Amino acid sequence: MVQRTHLTGARVVLPDGVVDNGRVTVEGTRIMAAGPAAGPAGGPAAGPAGEPAAGPAGGSAPGHADSGGERALDLALDLALDLAGGWIVPGFVDLHVHGGGGASFSAGTPEEALTAIGTHRRHGTTTMLASTVTGDLDDLARQAAALSELVEQGELAGIHFEGPFISPHRCGAHQPSLLRAPDPADVRKLVDAARGTARMMTLAPELPGGLESVRLLADSGVLAAVGHTDSTYEATLEAVEAGATVATHLFNAMPSLLHRAPGPVAALLEDERITVELINDGTHLHPAVLGLAFHRAGADRVAFITDAMGAAGMSDGRYPLGPMEVEVKDGVARISDGPTAGSIAGSTLTLDRAFRRAVTIDGLGVEAAVRALSATPARVLGIADRVGSLEPGKDADLVVLDDDFRLRGVMRRGAWVVHPELG
């Protein structure tokens, strides 16, 4: 018995626009159809919410020819869920997240990683990288080996190394004593430890070995990201030419954009080869700065990220971030002591909040916000054939929002993580 779920009545955001009174049909783990409710979406018309839709007796679908040329009966149970007044958007994709739910990917244990994954899934992030923080190389290699198993199991989309190859002048919430120049041999050690699951590494290209390491990463199929850098405009351009393709949380942990010293911000914004990460929590970036970057780069080059640490989805308090201690007050995370005390330490953001803020406060269109939270990061990771948009054949990863853009439901691979009616 095959179960088909027809989500009806909502505004559906498709790659080519918004469909009012649309329908998304899910069969198993895949999207079977997406489009207007009255169009050729496949499956019977919608019935009452949660009940089988009208169809052949017993819920059976038309038969099909098997390999022997005979007719075989393909039984299907058709369920319909009326989501009138809401929105259906693709599941969110986060390129940069360190933890959540009181847990951290840097702990290097499956239990903590799954807690963090579950927290962000309940907030609409159906695909994510696991981001590490600066630590001892051997410890980072151990973390990568542990996290790689979850990548292989399909729980994570890959590993993102943030540090230790970053500038001591722009280290932010990273332990200064553990920073080091990006020796290509050390870079290779971490990539190898991830056993083919390393997807991105943030580094400061102006450091000794920086450009060579960028080339190594690019040649290895790992995204080289410019971040936590004290680089000049000219040095950043060199990094882009060497193969860098991502800007790690643009504006944060890098020199400011000045009229006589444009620095990395201008170099990264102006180059069409670069996708820029932006943290849309209202703390990391002023709305005018976010708007400036978004409209200069465009939705196809912006990836909204959380950069969330373990306090995401939790209350204020003290939390670990790698070897550092973080205090969260009024939802803002800062290093609690040591030489970098007071520095913002990631965020407590979830992507459903980033989406709502983008539309209701920043004034972005729904379609643009969808691209920045789903389609663009999926393209960056090379998995746009599976996730990032609502199209037939792709994974049934989607988020249901109410008319005020608050999260109502989350589906991942055809299974409800948060049911729109049950919460």
Side-chain angles (χ1 to χ4, degrees), residues 220-249:
S220 302
V222 179
L223 298 166
V226 176
H228 286 275
T229 176
D230 209 30
S231 182
T232 63
Y233 174 83
E234 293 76 14
T236 305
L237 291 180
E238 288 187 70
V240 175
E241 290 301 324
T245 56
V246 175
T248 293
H249 44 56

Side-chain angles (χ1 to χ4, degrees), residues 15-16 83 177 207 219 280 282 347 369 373 382 420:
D16 57 354
L83 301 174
S177 64
L207 297 177
D219 291 343
N280 191 22
S347 84
L373 276 98

Side-chain angles (χ1 to χ4, degrees), residues 63-72:
H64 62 273
D66 60 21
S67 58
E70 298 179 358
R71 303 293 292 177

Side-chain angles (χ1 to χ4, degrees), residues 186-205:
D186 293 337
V187 170
R188 170 57 68 187
K189 176 178 180 176
L190 293 186
V191 171
D192 288 347
R195 302 185 304 191
T197 65
R199 295 290 178 265
M200 184 162 68
M201 182 179 290
T202 297
L203 52 76

Side-chain angles (χ1 to χ4, degrees), residues 12 23-24 34 107 116 124 168 172 175 188 193 219 241 325 407:
V12 180
R23 173 171 59 184
V24 176
Q175 177 62 262
R188 170 57 68 187
D219 291 343
E241 290 301 324
E325 189 78 11
L407 187 138

